[in-house]
Amino acid sequence: MAVRLRVEVLDNCVGCGICWTVCPKGVLTGTLRGRAVVLNDELCSGCFSCQENCPYNAIRVVVKQQP
Ligand code: SF4
Ligand code: SF4
């Protein structure tokens, strides 16, 4: 069964910029004090750096199984 990674930014994101700075795959972008934006989660490698480094627990990487 194949898996797909889905990257979700939650409403409590404050736009600190950490996640789009640490992402090695260019999945994320944003503007400071805005909210992080997911450009293309098909590029995500599943390293979880964004999730682990967000001080607000405002981003999560969800593993979805595909039939
Ligand atoms: S690290 Fe967290 S709070 Fe900062 S921009 Fe990313 S999702 Fe938002
Ligand atoms: S899990 Fe890694 S590759 Fe995927 S969006 Fe987060 S930092 Fe980028």
Side-chain angles (χ1 to χ4, degrees):
M1 189 176 283
V3 296
R4 184 179 183 286
L5 297 165
R6 185 170 165 76
V7 183
E8 299 175 346
V9 179
L10 308 183
D11 287 344
N12 60 320
C13 169
V14 299
C16 70
I18 292 173
C19 60
W20 68 77
T21 301
V22 299
C23 178
K25 296 293 184 182
V27 174
L28 300 159
T29 188
T31 54
L32 289 178
R33 293 181 290 281
R35 263 177 67 179
V37 174
V38 179
L39 289 174
N40 182 358
D41 54 11
E42 290 185 1
L43 300 174
C44 176
S45 66
C47 70
F48 292 93
S49 291
C50 53
Q51 184 173 296
E52 289 170 358
N53 286 286
C54 175
Y56 300 92
N57 291 322
I59 188 165
R60 63 186 175 203
V61 182
V62 182
V63 180
K64 301 233 178 211
Q65 292 194 329
Q66 300 209 120

